[in-house]
Amino acid sequence: MTNVACSAPYTLTMELTHRCPLRCLYCSNPTELIRQENELSLDHWISIVDQAARLSVVQANLTGGEPLAYAGLTAIVRRLRERDIYSNLITSGIGLSDTVLQELIECGLESIQMSLQSANKKTAELIAGWNAQEQKLKALKLATQTKIPVALNVVLHKHNIGEVAELIELAESMNVKRLELASTQFYGFAMVNMEHLLPTREQMEEGLAVYDLKKKQLAGKMQLSWVIGDYLESSPKPCMGGWASQHIVVSADGTAYPCLAANAINTLSFPSTKEHSLKWIWEESPAFNAFRGYEWMVEPCRSCEFREKDFGGCRCQAFLLTGDARQADPVCKLSPHHHVVEEKIAAANAYPIGPLVHRQFS
Amino acid sequence: MTESLNLVKESILQMSPGVRLKDDETRQCKLLLMPESIVKLNHSASEVLELVDGNRSIEKIYAELAARYEDETLHKDLAEFLLDALTRGWIEIKCP
């Protein structure tokens, strides 16, 4: 197979560690967590930053687990600044003291995205498996007092979708300039807990009505966004702008993926930055080339008029729901596997089913 | 819309916190880098945003562009672009 020509990647997501004090029901980490002894050294991350800069990466997301738990974080931020790569810290806020915050900003950190599980302490504890609300709100307050922008990110699901108004009020009271609501995406732990998380269509529509109203009222004061979950939509999301077209993810153990959820596709062998250069991984590796272009597609995608718009949807979701990553994303109404999504929605509406499963290192 | 944003020709504009321009040699263009997104700018958008520096007023930005181009729609195009950029949070009005 000849590789499809690719253009330079824009962003690098660095999953520095899987360690995290929170145990969220929808954690985006793989269900097989990487242990501390298998984490990359600081020198290796510095080399990855240098290689990414040579590949023309211009933005980096520092994430985890909780990235503040990785000891070399500030040194990585400094290197990103030296290479003129925009740095964004994605954090729970746990461990974000004033000293740490000032040090990160001095090293060149350019923005922060902080998570909140709920506007309500009890619900937050149910989701995160730990009472962290006070610490998190304290960290948020510290962060909003700095010169760099802070976005508050709330993953929405059955337990907090009724809180849209409260969440917006809380963000306003904390002087947050950007609030991102994001419907749960069903990969990893979220898939394990799907029945507990997927809201009904009615719940989502009620939430959206509040959101639309508030968004108008707050125009010019707060940026509000909501990424709606694709299970309740009729067309698939364009997978990362096309498989391996803009993003590289490097996991805590050095494995590289085109997206955070891709490790679920166990029919592909993902390359390691310990064995290959980032350039080879991006340009030559079979995994990154697997779904570039359109040759890999099967029907109905292959002859679909929307294929250049949505790229057949999400490859990881296609794999998780059909066992074959080349299939059309089953959220698409045109997919022959669409009934799988319908069945999942029906199962979630019949909630409660099984026990809640919090992530944890076994 | 301009009223709700208190936008007047004397308003001084600056880039919003965490938003900056970058010259991209590989892609042969200017990029707008901001929290969690990147915008590839066309030539006219980058020309305007280079003038948004926390010192120039809207009037001054218009005057400089008008000196470069004889374009009947410049005034309208600039107003639309700046409003859009303000709404998207790329730029903001500098408090006096």
Side-chain angles (χ1 to χ4, degrees):
Chain A
M1 194 177 95
T2 51
N3 291 341
V4 175
C6 59
S7 48
Y10 281 91
T11 62
L12 169 69
T13 293
M14 308 162 85
E15 214 176 57
L16 299 180
T17 176
H18 281 170
R19 288 173 288 136
C20 182
L22 303 187
R23 299 159 52 215
C24 297
L25 296 171
Y26 46 70
C27 180
S28 64
N29 287 160
T31 45
E32 291 277 331
L33 295 167
I34 293 160
R35 295 183 164 275
Q36 185 167 7
E37 58 266 32
N38 297 321
E39 288 176 4
L40 294 179
S41 67
L42 175 59
D43 284 349
H44 192 90
W45 279 119
I46 296 288
S47 157
I48 288 173
V49 170
D50 292 350
Q51 293 183 59
R54 286 197 293 273
L55 273 181
S56 302
V57 162
V58 293
Q59 192 163 50
N61 295 310
L62 297 151
T63 186
E66 173 48 67
L68 292 168
Y70 187 81
L73 177 63
T74 47
I76 297 170
V77 169
R78 191 179 299 121
R79 191 61 151 224
L80 288 165
R81 171 45 68 93
E82 285 164 8
R83 296 285 175 256
D84 197 26
I85 296 176
Y86 190 105
S87 59
N88 177 40
L89 177 71
I90 299 174
T91 177
S92 68
I94 306 293
L96 193 66
S97 66
D98 198 30
T99 317
V100 171
L101 192 56
Q102 293 311 326
E103 198 187 347
L104 285 167
I105 294 171
E106 273 161 31
C107 287
L109 185 68
E110 299 194 59
S111 80
I112 296 178
Q113 187 210 80
M114 205 179 282
S115 68
L116 194 73
Q117 281 64 28
S118 166
N120 173 308
K121 196 173 146 184
K122 277 221 160 117
T123 311
E125 191 174 345
L126 171 82
I127 296 161
W130 190 46
N131 179 10
Q133 192 81 341
E134 271 171 42
Q135 272 190 68
K136 289 174 69 89
L137 291 176
K138 211 171 139 192
L140 180 62
K141 197 169 175 194
L142 281 176
T144 53
Q145 286 164 352
T146 65
K147 61 177 185 182
I148 66 170
V150 178
L152 185 63
N153 183 288
V154 184
V155 175
L156 291 182
H157 44 76
K158 195 178 273 179
H159 298 281
N160 65 3
I161 199 161
E163 291 180 13
V164 173
E166 285 167 85
L167 286 165
I168 295 170
E169 271 165 38
L170 179 81
E172 270 186 283
S173 74
M174 302 291 286
N175 202 22
V176 167
K177 297 280 185 270
R178 189 176 151 86
L179 174 64
E180 303 163 348
L181 304 172
S183 294
T184 309
Q185 311 253 24
F186 294 102
Y187 307 99
F189 290 93
M191 189 56 132
V192 176
N193 290 302
M194 193 277 300
E195 286 99 341
H196 296 278
L197 297 170
L198 184 67
T200 64
R201 211 172 285 276
E202 292 71 29
Q203 283 176 316
M204 200 183 73
E205 277 162 13
E206 274 172 37
L208 272 175
V210 176
Y211 166 81
D212 287 338
L213 184 71
K214 283 282 181 184
K215 192 176 163 97
K216 275 187 204 126
Q217 289 172 354
L218 292 170
K221 288 184 196 150
M222 190 198 289
Q223 301 275 326
L224 259 179
S225 65
W226 185 344
V227 181
I228 294 165
D230 54 4
Y231 273 39
L232 297 175
E233 298 223 89
S234 55
S235 52
K237 56 180 179 278
C239 163
M240 308 296 282
W243 178 266
S245 76
Q246 296 168 6
H247 309 278
I248 305 178
V249 176
V250 177
S251 183
D253 67 355
T255 314
Y257 302 96
C259 89
L260 281 169
N263 93 317
I265 306 179
N266 62 21
T267 48
L268 288 179
S269 167
F270 289 98
S272 170
T273 55
K274 288 178 180 167
E275 288 155 23
H276 301 281
S277 70
L278 213 52
K279 185 177 163 65
W280 182 88
I281 290 170
W282 182 255
E283 293 171 0
E284 310 284 339
S285 72
F288 276 62
N289 280 288
F291 309 116
R292 279 186 175 140
Y294 303 97
E295 276 304 302
W296 56 271
M297 284 181 172
V298 295
E299 293 296 352
C301 296
R302 205 175 173 84
S303 59
C304 181
E305 60 176 310
F306 301 112
R307 69 176 202 175
E308 285 167 44
K309 212 172 146 192
D310 60 28
F311 314 104
C314 172
R315 294 305 90 225
C316 310
Q317 193 148 270
F319 180 81
L320 283 171
L321 299 179
T322 75
D324 178 358
R326 295 170 309 151
Q327 292 293 324
D329 185 336
V331 304
C332 180
K333 284 229 160 101
L334 302 170
S335 158
H337 299 95
H338 185 63
H339 62 94
V340 179
V341 175
E342 298 289 340
E343 283 156 24
K344 293 222 176 265
I345 295 171
N349 289 352
Y351 165 91
I353 297 192
L356 290 170
V357 183
H358 285 99
R359 63 162 257 170
Q360 58 190 321
F361 287 96
S362 52
Chain B
M1 192 67 183
T2 45
E3 279 140 37
S4 71
L5 285 163
N6 292 320
L7 200 61
V8 290
K9 63 183 191 315
E10 292 82 14
S11 300
I12 292 173
L13 299 176
Q14 62 189 10
M15 301 303 281
S16 296
V19 180
R20 66 178 168 96
L21 286 169
K22 178 184 164 82
D23 252 325
D24 191 317
E25 281 172 30
T26 310
R27 299 173 182 92
Q28 298 273 304
C29 69
K30 283 221 163 29
L31 299 175
L32 192 61
L33 303 182
M34 57 195 129
E36 296 161 77
S37 63
I38 300 161
V39 176
K40 206 170 161 179
L41 296 169
N42 62 26
H43 183 69
S44 48
S46 45
E47 263 195 307
V48 176
L49 290 174
E50 275 173 11
L51 297 173
V52 174
D53 60 356
N55 292 313
R56 291 176 169 90
S57 63
I58 295 181
E59 199 171 30
K60 185 104 192 345
I61 293 171
Y62 173 70
E64 289 193 30
L65 292 168
R68 286 183 218 168
Y69 304 103
E70 270 185 47
D71 185 343
E72 282 173 15
T73 63
L74 176 64
H75 195 273
K76 183 173 154 284
D77 293 345
L78 178 65
E80 278 176 10
F81 175 76
L82 290 177
L83 261 181
D84 190 46
L86 279 160
T87 314
R88 288 170 191 267
W90 298 353
I91 60 174
E92 60 184 24
I93 300 163
K94 189 178 178 182
C95 295

